[in-house]
Amino acid sequence: MDTGNNNGLHTILKCNFPPYGKDFPGGYATGRFSDGRVPSDLIAEKLGLTKTLPAYMSPNLKPEDLLQGVTFASGGTGYDPLTAKMMSVISVWDQLTYFKQYIATIKQHFGEEKAQNILDHSFFLVVSSSNDLAHTFLAQSYKYDRTSYANFLADSAAKFVRELHKLGARKIGVFSAVPVGCVPLQRTLFGGLFTRGCNKPLNKMAKQFNARLSPALDSLDKELDGVIFYINVYDTLLDIIQNHEKYGFEVADRGCCGKGTVAISYLCNSLNPFTCSNSSAYVFWDSYHPTERAYQVIVDKLLDKYLSKIY
């Protein structure tokens, strides 16, 4: 979802350099973790707002840009505050602070009525958990087992949604965890030297997170005014990975960038001679993030299913 908020941070989790963005309009590396556009862009386009959604931390952002929507997302963050600290990125809780700033700026430039209208009618997407599950759990394993950590994350997600609602958000969709054990990096590290299968314990944790999150969101939807709902991305992405030929993809276990096994962020760079020429044949762009084409398939399937909830 990050469209460039990490660009100005002192973090290794950046991608504002080639070959990232090679399929983005104009071929620019904008800080999106993909070859082209990311889900926040594709969803905004599907809703008829704009083709590309600006990053809130962009130095070029103008007040009028805020009216079409922005993304506060920061690649590498998570529901666990330790995740953002370890990765030196923006925590989801700090993103709530930026959202408060956003509302104040709208009020200042366009008035209270406009700000209220935006809050009442906007669609808010909450997307996190992969970095918590794949990385931070290991640092927290002295305190949690796999099940209790997944439950802690789901409870944190529900708390986050409650805080977002307090700030005025009324239509909130929350992404499930994805089958993060099947991303190329996890296959390389834990999937066996020759088979490179999915990391099953990690996928099991993701499913435990989802099993706790879904009813928690149903409960919030009944308790609070507005619409709060769970978006099942897990099954959609897993189906694309397992049945990639059905969707027109040729490769699902390696990324397009570099050799596709561990290349991400600075390891996915323009000096690497192995990057594929046709990224749309791949489900994954780097060893962690899907290609624009894979994102497009996911967004089309999910919005067709969930769009009726926000209208």
Side-chain angles (χ1 to χ4, degrees), residues 115 145-146 209 244 250 286 293:
D145 63 18
R146 289 179 181 277
F209 169 85
H244 52 276
E250 295 168 21
D286 60 17
R293 183 162 170 264

Side-chain angles (χ1 to χ4, degrees), residues 6 9-13 74-76 82-90:
N6 281 15
L9 304 180
H10 293 292
T11 175
I12 59 164
L13 281 178
S74 177
L82 182 60
T83 303
K85 214 173 275 184
M86 284 168 55
M87 305 291 187
S88 300
V89 294
I90 307 164

Side-chain angles (χ1 to χ4, degrees), residues 139-151:
Q140 295 278 45
S141 57
Y142 71 97
K143 191 162 52 168
Y144 299 97
D145 63 18
R146 289 179 181 277
T147 300
S148 61
Y149 188 65
N151 290 343

